[in-house]
């Protein structure tokens, strides 16, 4: 439970605890991941009062305090417009595997066409001088999809005017 | 009912903030500051009516982690409660126990040992487990996105951001409790390793271990305990959207609303003129520039020019973070209560080498979560 300070020998007791959860992810998320896996579709949810489209889908529109159900889910374009980006240059322990993700990797925040909120995901560009706010991006899907967020491997910059 | 303005901070105590306090358990850190406060004030645990602590279970590695410090904080068979979050919110909880006339005195304590668990993993668990967590979002990557969007919108430069780090690290030289006490240059910041473009290693704080404690008291008790009670004048709290995609990432709207409320309560009409000193929870260099704007110290988008003006330096009109701020010492959960403690010292005239001359009114800003999600703004005044 501790690091070594200089050459001093540290008294240590080591243990490891697994604390697994079985989350209920809700009907909207089930639909989201089903559509992602089966049809390569990205879904959002649309508020019946203000019309705001949330990506990823949310069960309550915070602005209106209105519930959104699976019936309120709408298909979003896999394309969007870049609003911001960063390039991560430090090791990150992947919560899915416990292993280290290779770095550097690009990270983007963008608005998918048809959505009103920002979405965040990896982008396949590690040279930040090549990224610009306003660029068009598109989702790249895995061939063998499993029904998790990793089914979108990353977004890529595409040459296209909005 | 006791009015706001009739609750005082009568004393504060801090540990030195360090990278790895391997020789002390977090309970021992808490005992160090609580005992010091007892000694400074000449009181015993019997003089403490109620105890409010702040910590985080994920950092402490156990649930109901406040029980791990129960003996050290003196809460056995006492009214005790814990804020699972930043220490500034614990201050507010403690003040409310006096405002409601439930207690005459309240001990407020916050601790954190960042060295005991990976802060990246803890911060990653802030995010929802199926849409975001597996994409590795944490405080660093979120900060990179926010900084990029803000700087792009307002034309703020990396040099202006670096000036925040240089200022705070220079101030830390005057703070014996600070973790990083080494003067650095703008070039040091700009040339440090890129962490999350546009932010470099030195744009971020270290991770620190430490604890802070303070005693609050109602007016008549406070005046008996100290010649320099510091009065609680205003409070504002506002939580911005949890999901970053639902936020305006270029302006700290939650902080803006919290500050407005605190200013209204304390009668602050012109923050630049009314506030003599500010201590804010800046999670990264650019964040402090955004905080200037949200607090109304400068106009929107002017944060970069404002740091260049020198007004937030020690000899400026509104010094910000004379302690060195979070960029110099970062025991995460304790940051907000440290801001309060430092403002109390400033207004008591006890801030030694980091003293802002004639400081009468001060602001402390504590924050929960990522990129100014939960905001707590507190205004204090000296000499009533
Ligand atoms: Zn709505």
């Amino acid at each position: 439970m501790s690091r070594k300070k200089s050459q001093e020998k540290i008294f240590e007791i080591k243990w490891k605890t697994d604390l697994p959860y079985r989350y209920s992810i809700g009907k909207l998320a089930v639909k989201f991941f089903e559509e992602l896996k089966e049809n390569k579709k990205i879904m959002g949810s649309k508020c019946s009062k203000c019309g705001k489209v949330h990506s990823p889908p949310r069960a309550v529109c915070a602005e209106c305090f209105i519930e959104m159900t699976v019936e309120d889910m709408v298909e979003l374009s896999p394309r969007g417009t870049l609003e911001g980006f960063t390039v991560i240059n430090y090791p990150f322990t992947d919560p899915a595997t416990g292993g280290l993700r290779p770095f550097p990797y690009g990270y983007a925040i963008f608005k998918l066409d048809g959505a009103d909120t920002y979405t965040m995901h990896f982008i396949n560009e590690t040279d930040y001088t090549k990224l610009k706010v306003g660029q068009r991006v598109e989702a790249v899907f895995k061939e063998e999809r499993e029904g998790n967020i990793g089914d979108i491997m990353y977004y890529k910059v595409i040459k296209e005017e909005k | 009912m006791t009015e706001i303005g009739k609750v005082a901070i009568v004393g504060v105590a801090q540990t030195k903030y360090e990278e790895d306090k391997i020789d002390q358990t977090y309970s021992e850190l808490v005992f160090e500051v609580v005992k010091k406060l007892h000694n400074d004030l000449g009181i015993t645990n019997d003089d403490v009516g109620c105890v409010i602590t702040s910590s985080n279970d994920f950092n402490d590695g156990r649930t109901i982690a406040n029980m791990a410090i129960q003996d050290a904080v003196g809460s056995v068979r006492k009214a005790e409660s814990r804020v699972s979050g930043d220490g500034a919110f614990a201050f507010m909880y403690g003040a409310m126990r006096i405002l409601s006339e439930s207690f005459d005195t309240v001990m407020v304590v916050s601790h954190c040992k960042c060295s005991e668990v990976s802060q990246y993993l803890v911060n990653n668990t802030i995010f929802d487990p199926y849409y975001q967590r597996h994409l590795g979002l944490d405080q660093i990557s979120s900060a990179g996105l926010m900084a990029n969007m803000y700087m792009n919108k307002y034309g703020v430069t990396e040099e202006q951001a670096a000036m925040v780090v240089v200022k705070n690290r220079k101030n830390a030289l005057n703070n014996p409790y600070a973790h990083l006490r080494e003067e650095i240059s703008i070039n040091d910041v700009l040339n440090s390793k890129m962490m999350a473009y546009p932010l470099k290693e030195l744009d971020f704080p270290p991770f620190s271990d430490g604890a802070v404690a303070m005693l609050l008291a109602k007016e008549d008790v406070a005046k008996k305990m100290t010649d320099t009670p510091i009065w609680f004048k205003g409070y504002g709290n506002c939580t911005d959207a949890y999901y970053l995609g639902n936020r305006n990432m270029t302006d700290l709207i939650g902080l803006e609303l919290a500050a407005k409320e605190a200013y209204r309560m304390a009668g602050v009409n012109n923050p630049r003129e009314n506030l003599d000193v500010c201590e804010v929870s800046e999670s990264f260099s650019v964040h402090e520039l955004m905080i200037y704007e949200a607090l109304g110290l400068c106009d929107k988008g002017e944060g970069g020019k404002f740091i260049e003006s020198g007004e937030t330096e020690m000899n400026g009109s509104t010094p910000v973070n004379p302690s060195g701020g979070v960029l110099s010492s970062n025991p995460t959960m304790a940051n907000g209560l440290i801001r309060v403690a430092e403002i109390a010292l400033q207004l008591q005239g006890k801030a030694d080498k980091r003293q802002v001359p004639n400081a009468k009114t001060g602001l402390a800003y504590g924050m929960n979560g990522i990129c100014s999600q939960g905001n707590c703004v507190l205004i204090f005044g000296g000499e009533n």
Side-chain angles (χ1 to χ4, degrees):
Chain A
M1 291 278 93
S2 55
R3 261 163 285 138
K4 275 193 176 182
K5 231 180 208 179
S6 65
Q7 293 304 307
E8 204 181 336
K9 193 167 159 47
I10 299 294
F11 177 83
E12 248 180 327
I13 301 170
K14 281 192 177 180
W15 77 94
K16 189 168 179 286
T17 307
D18 287 322
L19 190 56
Y21 288 80
R22 189 180 67 105
Y23 282 114
S24 168
I25 66 171
K27 293 190 176 67
L28 284 85
V30 169
K31 174 79 173 166
F32 177 91
F33 289 114
E34 273 177 359
E35 289 290 345
L36 183 60
K37 183 180 176 190
E38 305 302 334
N39 306 312
K40 289 195 202 177
K41 280 185 182 172
I42 301 171
M43 304 292 287
S45 61
K46 183 172 181 172
C47 171
S48 60
K49 190 173 174 203
C50 70
K52 183 173 173 180
V53 176
H54 299 254
S55 163
R58 306 196 74 76
V60 175
C61 175
E63 262 69 38
C64 309
F65 208 64
I66 292 257
E67 187 186 1
M68 290 176 282
T69 67
V70 171
E71 272 65 55
D72 297 310
M73 289 180 74
V74 292
E75 185 184 346
L76 303 172
S77 165
R79 294 181 174 187
T81 304
L82 197 61
E83 301 280 348
F85 54 87
T86 184
V87 176
I88 304 300
N89 196 33
Y90 61 93
F92 146 58
T93 306
D94 191 334
T97 63
L100 283 185
R101 261 192 78 85
F103 66 96
Y105 56 92
Y107 216 95
I109 182 165
F110 46 86
K111 247 179 207 167
L112 290 176
D113 297 349
D116 293 304
T117 66
Y118 298 129
T119 307
M120 283 151 278
H121 211 295
F122 301 127
I123 191 157
N124 72 332
E125 181 57 73
T126 55
D127 179 355
Y128 55 81
T129 63
K130 290 190 177 148
L131 293 169
K132 285 194 178 50
V133 170
Q135 277 171 332
R136 297 286 289 159
V137 296
E138 181 177 33
V140 177
F141 298 93
K142 255 189 199 161
E143 274 317 306
E144 304 279 316
R145 291 178 303 283
E146 300 158 49
N148 61 50
I149 200 68
D151 288 350
I152 303 170
M153 288 193 290
Y154 51 79
Y155 282 75
K156 63 175 183 187
V157 175
I158 51 169
K159 286 204 169 61
E160 176 198 78
E161 294 301 315
K162 193 188 174 181
Chain B
M1 220 183 82
T2 304
E3 292 169 55
I4 192 154
K6 306 287 183 190
V7 176
I9 301 169
V10 295
V12 305
Q14 304 179 66
T15 63
K16 177 162 172 52
Y17 306 108
E18 292 175 288
E19 183 186 352
D20 185 4
K21 286 177 172 289
I22 197 167
D23 297 334
Q24 283 173 293
T25 66
Y26 54 79
S27 179
E28 287 166 345
L29 291 181
V30 166
F31 188 72
E32 180 184 321
V33 285
V34 172
K35 189 72 193 163
K36 183 171 184 306
L37 196 50
H38 284 181
N39 292 343
D40 289 353
L41 293 169
I43 63 169
T44 70
N45 196 35
D46 293 338
D47 298 310
V48 176
C50 165
V51 174
I52 307 289
T53 63
S54 123
S55 58
N56 173 285
D57 285 354
F58 276 51
N59 263 310
D60 288 354
R62 49 191 287 178
T63 67
I64 329 178
N66 41 325
M67 286 303 98
I69 59 166
Q70 190 193 30
D71 299 332
V73 82
S75 67
V76 180
R77 285 179 293 280
K78 255 194 192 150
E80 181 268 355
S81 196
R82 190 269 297 255
V83 169
S84 180
D86 180 76
F89 294 87
F91 170 88
M92 193 52 222
Y93 193 169
M96 287 193 286
R97 298 297 268 156
I98 294 174
L99 287 165
S100 66
E101 301 193 337
S102 304
F103 294 96
D104 292 352
T105 58
V106 177
M107 177 73 74
V108 185
V109 181
S110 186
H111 73 269
C112 196
K113 284 191 81 178
C114 288
S115 63
E116 296 191 340
V117 62
S118 160
Q119 294 301 305
Y120 300 111
L121 283 180
V122 170
N123 275 292
N124 179 250
T125 64
I126 291 173
F127 293 92
D128 93 65
Y130 29 97
Y131 291 122
Q132 295 194 298
R133 202 181 287 181
H134 294 283
L135 301 177
L137 272 178
D138 62 20
Q139 77 278 27
I140 306 279
S141 44
S142 308
L145 292 174
M146 181 174 249
N148 176 251
M149 291 176 80
Y150 166 79
M151 293 165 85
N152 186 62
K153 178 175 176 185
Y154 292 121
V156 170
T157 67
E158 292 178 42
E159 286 78 7
Q160 288 169 329
M163 290 175 81
V164 173
V165 190
V166 172
K167 169 182 74 71
N168 289 357
R169 293 283 289 271
K170 188 175 166 196
N171 289 350
L173 292 172
N174 291 325
N175 179 2
Y177 302 110
H179 174 178
L180 299 178
R181 299 183 73 199
E182 199 181 340
E183 196 159 358
I184 54 168
S185 70
I186 289 179
N187 277 336
D188 290 337
V189 181
L190 296 177
N191 296 330
S192 64
K193 182 181 155 248
M194 188 63 81
M195 285 282 275
Y197 172 83
L199 301 173
K200 278 77 64 185
E201 196 170 12
L202 292 179
D203 286 302
F204 288 101
F207 292 118
S208 318
D209 292 354
V212 52
M214 66 184 62
L215 190 75
L216 315 186
K218 68 171 189 170
E219 189 177 21
D220 53 334
V221 177
K223 284 180 173 169
K224 274 182 216 153
M225 281 185 162
T226 176
D227 296 332
T228 52
I230 298 309
W231 304 101
F232 178 34
K233 299 283 194 185
Y235 162 62
N237 167 0
C238 181
T239 303
D240 209 336
Y242 158 69
Y243 179 60
L244 288 177
N246 279 352
R247 293 225 207 131
N248 165 349
M249 292 282 281
T250 56
D251 307 279
L252 307 178
I253 305 294
L255 174 56
E256 215 174 289
L257 294 171
K260 239 176 221 161
E261 177 62 15
Y263 292 163
R264 188 193 58 76
M265 201 181 284
V268 170
N269 306 313
N270 181 341
R272 271 285 294 281
E273 283 183 11
N274 301 154
L275 300 174
D276 300 314
V277 55
C278 297
E279 280 281 341
V280 304
S281 295
E282 83 293 17
S283 309
F284 50 98
S285 58
V286 176
H287 192 213
E288 187 171 305
L289 303 177
M290 299 176 77
I291 291 170
Y292 296 160
E293 298 172 20
L295 292 180
L297 298 177
C298 66
D299 290 336
K300 276 206 176 152
E302 299 290 310
K305 287 181 191 134
F306 194 57
I307 183 85
E308 280 181 347
S309 75
E311 298 295 355
T312 59
E313 304 264 353
M314 280 306 283
N315 57 3
S317 62
T318 316
V320 176
N321 285 335
S323 68
V326 175
L327 283 166
S328 301
S329 310
N330 180 31
T332 55
M333 306 317 295
N335 286 336
L337 200 62
I338 294 169
R339 309 278 76 74
V340 177
E342 284 291 325
I343 287 298
L345 290 171
Q346 288 289 346
L347 302 181
Q348 286 180 316
K350 293 179 181 171
D352 298 325
K353 282 166 82 181
R354 60 194 184 286
Q355 181 70 48
V356 174
N358 298 314
K360 299 275 191 292
T361 304
L363 174 150
Y365 165 46
M367 183 199 76
N368 263 337
I370 298 280
C371 295
S372 283
Q373 180 202 314
N375 302 281
C376 181
V377 176
L378 300 160
I379 313 281
F380 297 94
E383 294 178 20
N384 236 14

